[in-house]
């Protein structure tokens, strides 16, 4: 119990020290609502897949008006196949990704005030594992899944 108390106290002191230096550590927790769309004559009816997102971010202040925010997240994406007979062999797809990205923020004021910000930056998603119809994906044999993907992120907030 004493070790837990000392550890929690040290973490709290470190976070307070970093906040005073313009460095902020924050959790990323949320939900994802993924789906798929196929263009063509026989368009299957996919259902949304709701899953989790969790990770962390670190905001590094660069003066009163700029900040860099690197982020790391675990995201689960995929879709559930409909009952239209097209996806009888693989009724659902679950894909587990590790996202690593960063955002450059332009802020309207210092961190002591309530301020707005705009931001943009790249993100790289790496496909860790997945299932198709309850069977694990063997990435050495399956060439239809791309392991990595670059995206552009945009942010705004108060």
């Amino acid at each position: 119990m004493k070790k837990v108390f000392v550890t929690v106290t040290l973490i709290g002191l470190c976070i307070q020290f970093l906040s005073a230096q313009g460095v902020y550590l924050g959790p990323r927790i949320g939900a994802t609502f993924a789906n798929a769309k196929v263009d063509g004559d026989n368009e299957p009816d996919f259902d949304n897949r709701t899953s989790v997102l969790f990770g962390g971010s670190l905001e590094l202040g660069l003066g009163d008006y700029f900040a860099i925010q690197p982020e790391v997240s675990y995201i689960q994406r995929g879709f559930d196949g409909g009952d239209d007979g097209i996806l009888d062999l693989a009724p659902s797809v679950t894909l587990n990704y590790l996202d690593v990205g960063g955002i450059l923020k332009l802020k309207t004021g210092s961190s002591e005030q309530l301020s707005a910000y705009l931001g943009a930056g790249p993100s790289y998603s790496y496909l860790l594992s997945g299932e198709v119809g309850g069977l694990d994906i063997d990435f050495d044999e399956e060439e239809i899944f791309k392991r990595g993907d670059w995206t552009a992120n945009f942010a705004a907030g108060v």
Side-chain angles (χ1 to χ4, degrees), residues 13 20 68 76 102 128 150:
L13 290 172
I68 295 175
Q76 193 175 71
L128 299 170
W150 286 97

Side-chain angles (χ1 to χ4, degrees), residues 33-96:
F33 307 99
N35 203 346
K37 181 174 186 210
V38 177
D39 292 328
D41 295 335
N42 296 326
E43 295 180 12
D45 183 25
F46 297 119
D47 296 328
N48 286 349
R49 170 168 297 245
T50 303
S51 51
V52 297
L53 157 104
F54 60 88
S57 65
L58 180 72
E59 183 176 308
L60 307 168
L62 303 174
D64 287 341
Y65 299 103
F66 292 99
I68 295 175
Q69 182 174 321
E71 303 172 339
V72 177
S73 300
Y74 167 82
I75 299 177
Q76 193 175 71
R77 299 179 179 123
F79 58 88
D80 291 326
D83 295 329
D84 55 9
I86 295 174
L87 294 175
D88 286 339
L89 297 177
S92 65
V93 175
T94 302
L95 304 170
N96 303 306

Side-chain angles (χ1 to χ4, degrees), residues 24 40 65 69-70 92 94 99-101 105 116 124 141:
Y24 303 98
Y65 299 103
Q69 182 174 321
S92 65
T94 302
D99 280 9
V100 179
K105 288 183 174 180
Y124 183 76
E141 294 179 11

Side-chain angles (χ1 to χ4, degrees), residues 117-131:
Y117 67 88
L118 294 174
S123 179
Y124 183 76
S125 296
Y126 182 75
L127 180 56
L128 299 170
S129 63
E131 290 182 358

Side-chain angles (χ1 to χ4, degrees), residues 130-141:
E131 290 182 358
V132 176
L135 301 173
D136 290 339
I137 297 171
D138 184 2
F139 293 105
D140 295 331
E141 294 179 11

